[in-house]
Amino acid sequence: MPFKARDTPLLEQLPPRVLSQILKHCDLVELNFNEIIAEKDKPYKKVYFPQTAFISLMQPVAAHPAIEIGLIGKEGMLGASLMLGIMESPFRAVVQGPGTAYSMPVRDFQWAINKHSSLLKVLYRYQYVQIIQTTRVIACTQFHSVEARLASWLLLIHDHVHTDLIQHTHDQLADMLGVLRSAVTIAAGDLQRRKLINYARGKINILDRIGLKDMSCGCYTTSRYDYAKQFS
């Protein structure tokens, strides 16, 4: 059973009065699949609070495809590091799930964190969770099997979409996990033989969520707990 806290949009962790004031400075926008909304070491143009969209944080690596180090859905935001005075994005941010998000100009966001201490407190907790989860991704990549990591990744994606159908090619999955395409082919094939997913032509249909959780490395459950611990 998913943790309720992570199913709550980050902005809704705020007092209603504060939320109302912040939304006056936001626009509800549509984000498109594969759209790059922040580039590593480049200044943020806007901050984003996903509603139905979700964003992949990618770390470019010299001579290798970028590797995914985190996902942002409605439980988070892109641009929280601005509260630390860091104007540049530490990662490339790519839309992996198209949908809606609240966008807010950087100047307005800086005004909001200076005016509303409740927003700052929520963002400090969120940044703490992001740090923990980033270090866990590093350990997971080093020590857990591709099959277990793929199962965990599919569960995370499934939390953010509103359907059992996920559209990703083998190449995209390989980039997300930082492995060779052949490794993803083998891992996805095994999950399919176990009747946990159906995978064809870049479309993954989740058939057995409980079975996927049993096959996952456990990082999925732990990441859910990290968030719920801060926001329950």
Side-chain angles (χ1 to χ4, degrees), residues 95-131:
V95 178
Q96 287 296 332
T100 59
Y102 284 114
S103 71
M104 190 178 194
V106 168
R107 180 177 296 179
D108 289 353
F109 177 70
Q110 291 172 316
W111 163 84
I113 58 178
N114 287 326
K115 180 176 178 60
H116 300 294
S117 60
S118 57
L119 174 61
L120 203 56
K121 290 176 182 177
V122 166
L123 294 180
Y124 277 136
R125 294 202 299 271
Y126 176 61
Q127 281 276 274
Y128 174 74
V129 172
Q130 279 198 311
I131 291 170

Side-chain angles (χ1 to χ4, degrees), residues 14-230:
L14 298 170
R17 180 184 60 81
V18 176
L19 173 60
S20 176
Q21 291 187 31
I22 289 175
L23 289 180
K24 291 178 182 178
H25 296 266
C26 295
D27 293 315
L28 187 63
V29 298
E30 288 282 343
L31 298 181
N32 301 312
F33 180 69
N34 265 348
E35 181 180 354
I36 298 175
I37 55 177
E39 188 59 85
K40 179 177 169 59
D41 297 330
K42 299 295 184 181
Y44 286 107
K45 295 180 180 179
K46 295 181 179 180
V47 301
Y48 293 90
F49 300 91
Q51 299 302 294
T52 60
F54 62 92
I55 302 163
S56 178
L57 300 179
M58 307 295 295
Q59 178 62 58
V61 181
H64 295 280
I67 186 172
E68 183 182 87
I69 53 82
L71 284 173
I72 301 174
K74 62 183 178 181
E75 82 291 340
M77 70 164 295
L78 176 68
S81 58
L82 285 163
M83 69 178 183
L84 304 175
I86 307 301
M87 303 302 294
E88 296 80 25
S89 173
F91 311 111
R92 178 183 300 152
V94 184
V95 178
Q96 287 296 332
T100 59
Y102 284 114
S103 71
M104 190 178 194
V106 168
R107 180 177 296 179
D108 289 353
F109 177 70
Q110 291 172 316
W111 163 84
I113 58 178
N114 287 326
K115 180 176 178 60
H116 300 294
S117 60
S118 57
L119 174 61
L120 203 56
K121 290 176 182 177
V122 166
L123 294 180
Y124 277 136
R125 294 202 299 271
Y126 176 61
Q127 281 276 274
Y128 174 74
V129 172
Q130 279 198 311
I131 291 170
I132 292 176
Q133 293 185 347
T134 300
T135 58
R136 183 168 289 110
V137 167
I138 296 171
C140 182
T141 302
Q142 182 69 29
F143 297 113
H144 295 155
S145 70
V146 175
E147 183 183 68
R149 290 171 55 211
L150 177 59
S152 292
W153 187 87
L154 291 174
L155 288 168
L156 284 171
I157 293 295
H158 195 224
D159 286 345
H160 291 98
V161 299
H162 304 280
T163 172
D164 290 334
L165 185 64
I166 299 171
Q167 298 193 42
H168 272 70
T169 66
H170 279 202
D171 288 334
Q172 288 170 326
L173 290 173
D175 288 347
M176 296 299 100
L177 297 173
V179 298
L180 296 176
R181 185 182 189 278
S182 58
V184 169
T185 300
I186 293 170
D190 189 43
L191 295 180
Q192 184 161 252
R193 283 191 296 273
R194 295 172 184 269
K195 301 186 185 304
L196 305 180
I197 65 171
N198 183 48
Y199 190 19
R201 297 181 180 180
K203 296 182 179 180
I204 306 168
N205 194 30
I206 305 296
L207 303 177
D208 184 353
R209 183 181 170 90
I210 294 176
L212 272 180
K213 191 173 180 180
D214 290 340
M215 289 296 299
S216 71
C217 57
C219 291
Y220 165 76
T221 300
T222 307
S223 70
R224 297 284 289 184
Y225 174 76
D226 290 337
Y227 194 93
K229 186 177 179 181
Q230 294 300 316

